[in-house]
Amino acid sequence: MSELSLPARAYLLACDTARARLPDRERVALLVRAAAWTDLVLRGRVADDGGRPVVAGAGGTGHLVLDDVLAELAADPHRKWRARVRRGARETLRSLEAQLDAAGVITLRTSRVLGLFPRRRPAVREPARAAALRDEVRAALRSDTPVSADVAALTALAAAVELGAVLPRAERRRHRDRLAWLEEQAGTAVPALRKVIRELHAARAARTAAASGGGG
């Protein structure tokens, strides 16, 4: 699976292969976006400079999503990590889906909710590939042995985005020390992702409370 970028593997990890859908497109978009930044850090193409990502090195990566993110950073170099994870996440997700579809990794189907609103439904072409990724991440969490930087990053990202179907909350709590070590290997985008997920939860809770209050 080394030919797939980290955001591509993160996407496959999140796919519900039984139902041909993503569990939560907003969270998966943030996962993919953070994975793209993390991949660039691991490749030595992005570095941290006082809490902001900066371009390091030169040339392309061979992955369109990663190169798009690099070009975006070069054009607008002043945002901090949290803003980078949040900003453009939906566009990055759509771009990745289109590329995985074109590469034959997924089949992207579009259905309509109530006959009006389009919904993208990804069918993974090789479900065993996604299952192997899940096994790899679970093993990385449960083991005490070193793992490669990309596997450490994928595991830390899945935990940060609270991908419960892969890493249930009880498992994340049980292996908190291991997760802390894995996150150290992954780089700065992971804690930024966790902050964005907390903000997302808070915003959703506020909307729910407002709706409940309005209904009373």
Side-chain angles (χ1 to χ4, degrees):
M1 289 179 229
S2 58
E3 76 276 8
L4 291 180
S5 66
L6 193 63
R9 281 180 280 170
Y11 181 87
L12 289 182
L13 189 69
C15 278
D16 183 337
T17 54
R19 298 183 180 181
R21 67 179 179 87
L22 295 179
D24 180 334
R25 284 192 67 84
E26 188 172 9
R27 280 196 304 136
V28 174
L30 293 168
L31 169 64
V32 164
R33 180 76 171 175
W37 287 110
T38 301
D39 196 334
L40 290 167
V41 169
L42 296 181
R43 292 171 187 265
R45 296 306 321 280
V46 166
D48 178 74
D49 181 15
R52 291 181 174 85
V54 294
V55 175
T61 66
H63 296 276
L64 292 177
V65 165
L66 300 182
D67 289 342
D68 286 348
V69 171
L70 269 179
E72 174 191 319
L73 178 58
D76 179 15
H78 304 297
R79 299 181 188 276
K80 293 188 176 182
W81 282 102
R82 186 172 62 177
R84 287 294 182 192
V85 168
R86 182 185 288 279
R87 186 177 177 86
R90 293 179 183 177
E91 291 78 5
T92 299
L93 175 60
R94 285 195 291 266
S95 176
L96 178 67
E97 285 182 322
Q99 290 164 32
L100 291 176
D101 186 29
V105 177
I106 65 171
T107 298
L108 197 58
R109 300 164 183 158
T110 302
S111 59
R112 292 192 175 272
V113 180
L114 302 176
L116 297 173
F117 306 106
R119 173 189 290 170
R120 290 188 169 192
R121 300 178 64 88
V124 177
R125 286 296 216 33
E126 299 178 36
R129 194 178 212 181
L133 280 172
R134 293 186 176 202
D135 290 344
E136 189 172 38
V137 162
R138 288 167 180 155
L141 179 64
R142 295 166 184 167
S143 172
D144 291 328
T145 59
V147 294
S148 63
D150 59 330
V151 172
L154 190 60
T155 308
L157 288 162
V161 83
E162 300 175 5
L163 209 57
V166 180
L167 300 177
R169 179 181 296 181
E171 287 249 344
R172 300 197 305 268
R173 288 178 174 174
R174 188 178 306 121
H175 300 288
R176 280 179 295 185
D177 291 344
R178 175 68 171 179
L179 275 176
W181 182 84
L182 292 167
E183 186 174 307
E184 286 179 6
Q185 318 309 306
T188 315
V190 176
L193 173 61
R194 189 185 304 106
K195 290 178 182 178
V196 173
I197 292 299
R198 286 173 181 165
E199 292 169 359
L200 176 62
H201 286 329
R204 288 181 174 179
R207 288 196 297 267
T208 300
S212 299

